[in-house]
Amino acid sequence: MASTKKVQELKKRREEVQRGGGEKAIQKQVAMGKMTARERIVKLLDEGSFNEYDLFVEHEARDFGMDQKTLHGDGVITGTGTIGGRPVCIFAQDFTVAGGSLGNMHARKITKIMDHSLKMRMPLIGINDSGGARIQEGVNSLAGYGEIFFRNTLASGVIPQISVILGPCAGGAVYSPALTDFVFVVENISKMFITGPEVIKTVLGEDISMEELGGARVHSEITGNAHFFSETEDECFEQIKSLLSYLPWSNTDVPARKELKDPLKKYNISHIVPADKKQPYDVRNVIRSVTDSSDFFEIQESWAANIVIGFGTMGGRTVGFVANQPLILAGVLDVDSSDKAGRFIRYCDAFNIPIITFVDLPGYLPGVDQEHAGVIRHGAKVLYAYSEATVPKITLILRKAYGGGYIAMNSRHLRADFVFAWPDAEVAVMGPEGATNIIFRKEIATAADPEKMRKQKVQEYKEKFANPYVAAAKGYIDSVIEPWETRKSLLHALEVSGEKSVGMPAKKHGIPPF
Ligand code: HXC
């Protein structure tokens, strides 16, 4: 048994280190509306579950007066714990200790817990709150970042990796979150940028605040770097717990089952989609009308909102949903929505999550801006991601499936396992008006009454092509179903594809257009 004296000494040492950067620095942290690193860990993990590693690690820097400084825990807290009873690895940078700056030992604490999470196959959660590379440690700090990026990449697609930005995350520090699967930001607290306002002022002579440059809203609405936005840290931690409830703990695992009730009556699927093809509607209500208890957890809600992605539960299992959103830009595919969908499809595929795709789009967004922004290169990501994915892939065409949009949105040709369509679906190279103007141009121009002729030709085209039956006759659509049959059909498709097994040609890896 340990002597009382030794136990007392341990307690004293622990208490001292756990005070982080001291009372003054903690008060500054609180005044900024932030929790301390230790409070964050305790809030996020199941009560009493945190098991801390490397509490007594100290920095080894000797230059610029560092030999005179003690940095408790070297500015980062690491360890394991549980969320919802399941094990996770976690680190939280402690801004009260040298601004949470990353030196050699700080990085080694992080890489040690990263190695642990990969070896033990459990999610890694990183809470970022740091002034970046510790300037006094020079290249050792840069080396530390490199070691972290390398491990993020190794772990990608093996275990879920979550980044939480709860303070500054500046310079190269941003690239660890960017390499992880999901990034969480909180209003007024998160600040993420490569070059800060001072550099911008010096180089470009422009004045900009940290908030305007890389605040939480910027990354949730403009850059797409963040996947989840919240107004408080508490709300953010609840979001993380919700997200984890949909995920498997590794790529050899399946998500835990959830017992939820049937869809709520308030989402009556027969009345959500207007018959008028030009009328918008919220496709999220279609998703909610087919999931258990209308369960839908949306990802990147405020960025590239012309496509909707997220997790829902069907028959107790996690499903990834990808859906064109007719409310925004008629649900077109463009540069950002292609990036958003492509990455999510690859996530689902890596983690054994079946994908359900709802289609209603006029095609890719036309225009010089999009062409010059690389809509060809970005749009190709969707084709690549669907073609490469080997998880069960189910498609439902709700209304329009025109042109490249039809092919890209998990068509049979990209190896959809099941393609359903509603009776109102239209599968064609383009919409009736556009098609008529092109293929009947001469007839319309030379007609005695061009407008009458145009209408007649539009009608002819609609009867011939603007329906699901031409595609169904070729077997590109497996089944035309009534809206009320949707949930039953999707559940059946999921059930019978539980043991899906397909081979891909042997290769080291593909070359996706990223
Ligand atoms: C060493 C740092 C530090 C750093 C902050 N501190 N950043 N120490 N290296 N990078 C220290 C401060 O000296 C201070 O110490 C304490 O942390 C708190 O910092 P403050 O400046 O007082 O806090 P605040 O006013 O809130 O400002 C926060 C901040 C600012 C905006 C983050 O500190 C800042 O601009 N820091 C530098 C950011 C940066 O340029 N980092 C390098 C990026 S380059 P005392 O002892 O006074 O309490 C980079 C390259 C990585 O990261 C490349 C990887 C590929």
Side-chain angles (χ1 to χ4, degrees), residues 76-97:
V76 62
I77 301 170
T78 64
T80 50
T82 60
I83 293 181
R86 298 194 289 171
V88 297
C89 284
I90 190 162
F91 71 84
Q93 292 179 308
D94 184 350
F95 194 82
T96 70
V97 178

Side-chain angles (χ1 to χ4, degrees), residues 48 55 150 265-266 330 333 336 340 366 371 383 460 479 487:
L55 177 68
F150 177 75
K265 287 225 166 51
K266 92 178 172 177
L333 279 172
D336 286 345
K340 177 173 162 180
E371 295 292 343
L383 304 174
E460 249 176 57
S479 192
R487 177 171 154 87

Side-chain angles (χ1 to χ4, degrees), residues 174-249:
V174 298
Y175 284 114
S176 175
L179 287 165
T180 61
D181 306 325
F182 299 105
V183 176
F184 290 74
V185 291
V186 177
E187 183 146 54
N188 298 324
I189 290 179
S190 314
K191 315 268 184 270
M192 248 183 136
F193 42 79
I194 298 273
T195 50
E198 281 167 32
V199 178
I200 291 179
K201 174 87 183 151
T202 311
V203 178
L204 302 170
E206 288 170 15
D207 274 317
I208 187 160
S209 70
M210 272 203 259
E211 193 63 33
E212 289 169 304
L213 180 64
R217 284 194 187 275
V218 169
H219 290 301
S220 313
E221 295 169 12
I222 301 172
T223 67
N225 287 331
H227 299 78
F228 297 97
F229 169 90
S230 56
E231 285 175 4
T232 64
E233 295 195 30
D234 279 318
E235 193 192 333
C236 171
F237 297 149
E238 289 310 310
Q239 285 176 341
I240 296 169
K241 289 178 201 178
S242 296
L243 172 68
L244 285 170
S245 74
Y246 292 95
L247 305 183
W249 251 221

Side-chain angles (χ1 to χ4, degrees), residues 279-292:
Q279 279 274 57
Y281 62 92
D282 190 343
V283 77
R284 290 174 295 193
N285 291 337
V286 181
I287 298 173
R288 291 185 189 110
S289 70
V290 298
T291 56
D292 301 356

Side-chain angles (χ1 to χ4, degrees), residues 21 25 28 32 34 66 69 71 95-102 129-137 141-146 149 167-175 191 193-194 196-199 210:
K28 192 178 158 195
M32 287 189 280
K34 293 156 70 177
M66 289 296 284
K69 278 195 179 167
L71 300 182
F95 194 82
T96 70
V97 178
S101 57
L102 184 138
D129 185 2
S130 163
R134 187 174 298 149
I135 296 161
Q136 298 92 328
E137 295 201 34
S141 309
L142 302 181
Y145 276 119
F149 303 160
C169 181
V174 298
Y175 284 114
K191 315 268 184 270
F193 42 79
I194 298 273
E198 281 167 32
V199 178
M210 272 203 259

